[in-house]
Amino acid sequence: MTIYDIGAQAGFYTLIFSQLVGKKGRVYAFEPCPYEARFLADHIRMNQLANVQILQLAVGERDGLVGMTINRGTCQNQVCRSSDSILTVPMLNLDGSGLPPPDLIKMDVEGAESSVLKGAQALLRETRPIVFVALHGAEQQTACTEILRACNYRIHDLAGQPLNGACAVDEIYALPV
């Protein structure tokens, strides 16, 4: 099994995923913030995880560079106007990444969720991974559910209840139909 942990931060889910996929599986931990990536790397090293690869970059709709803000010492993984940027990091589009396709995607990207999904529509349609998303605000709730439904996914809240209409929860999972 291959898992993408997008917005891995210090690696809490990365550590769990590493155990779940086993020695033959692979976890790709995406963390653009140098502050968080330092802790992520320490946790991978301390736990001697050979099946995790850290990718210190943002994930979004296009390849290129993206500005990020910094809040209380940690980065916020969201596209911002260049005048607001404190940090510029490389950004990867999942559809053109060349990485092995995922079986599962976990995403917590502080408001850039729809950008990630827009850049992964071919992957979602062709590979059909399970998707877990932390949604940040009403705009992301609407945009992400629209993208996932257009890619032929069923959306559920974390209690397992199907979400057929408007989404008003902050965490969802989506299963391919």
Side-chain angles (χ1 to χ4, degrees):
M1 185 175 216
T2 299
I3 297 178
Y4 291 179
D5 185 357
I6 304 172
Q9 293 187 312
F12 177 78
Y13 287 105
T14 301
L15 298 174
I16 293 169
F17 293 148
S18 173
Q19 296 303 309
L20 290 174
V21 302
K23 291 181 181 183
K24 293 184 180 180
R26 196 85 179 138
V27 178
Y28 292 89
F30 297 85
E31 181 50 58
C33 179
Y35 178 81
E36 298 289 351
R38 172 183 64 176
F39 295 113
L40 175 60
D42 287 344
H43 291 145
I44 302 308
R45 186 176 43 258
M46 284 187 290
N47 288 280
Q48 301 176 352
L49 302 178
N51 62 352
V52 175
Q53 180 176 343
I54 298 171
L55 299 164
Q56 195 174 336
L57 44 80
V59 179
E61 187 173 356
R62 58 176 171 71
D63 289 337
L65 296 175
V66 64
M68 296 180 69
T69 61
I70 296 179
N71 183 15
R72 284 184 248 136
T74 60
C75 301
Q76 299 297 306
N77 186 5
Q78 53 192 340
V79 178
C80 54
R81 296 184 311 272
S82 60
S83 61
D84 296 335
S85 301
I86 302 222
L87 179 66
T88 301
V89 298
M91 183 166 65
L92 176 74
N93 169 315
L94 290 179
D95 282 343
S97 72
L99 294 170
D103 299 291
L104 184 142
I105 296 172
K106 171 258 164 190
M107 180 184 356
D108 187 353
V109 292
E110 306 300 329
E113 300 88 79
S114 61
S115 177
V116 173
L117 292 175
K118 285 177 185 174
Q121 290 181 76
L123 181 142
L124 293 171
R125 287 188 172 104
E126 296 165 14
T127 305
R128 317 294 289 148
I130 296 168
V131 181
F132 285 85
V133 184
L135 299 165
H136 295 82
E139 182 180 326
Q140 290 302 317
Q141 290 169 338
T142 300
C144 291
T145 54
E146 287 175 1
I147 294 166
L148 288 165
R149 286 182 178 135
C151 291
N152 207 21
Y153 276 77
R154 287 185 317 244
I155 300 167
H156 303 266
D157 65 19
L158 292 186
Q161 297 301 312
L163 300 174
N164 297 318
C167 175
V169 298
D170 59 359
E171 293 183 305
I172 60 169
Y173 68 92
L175 302 172
V177 176

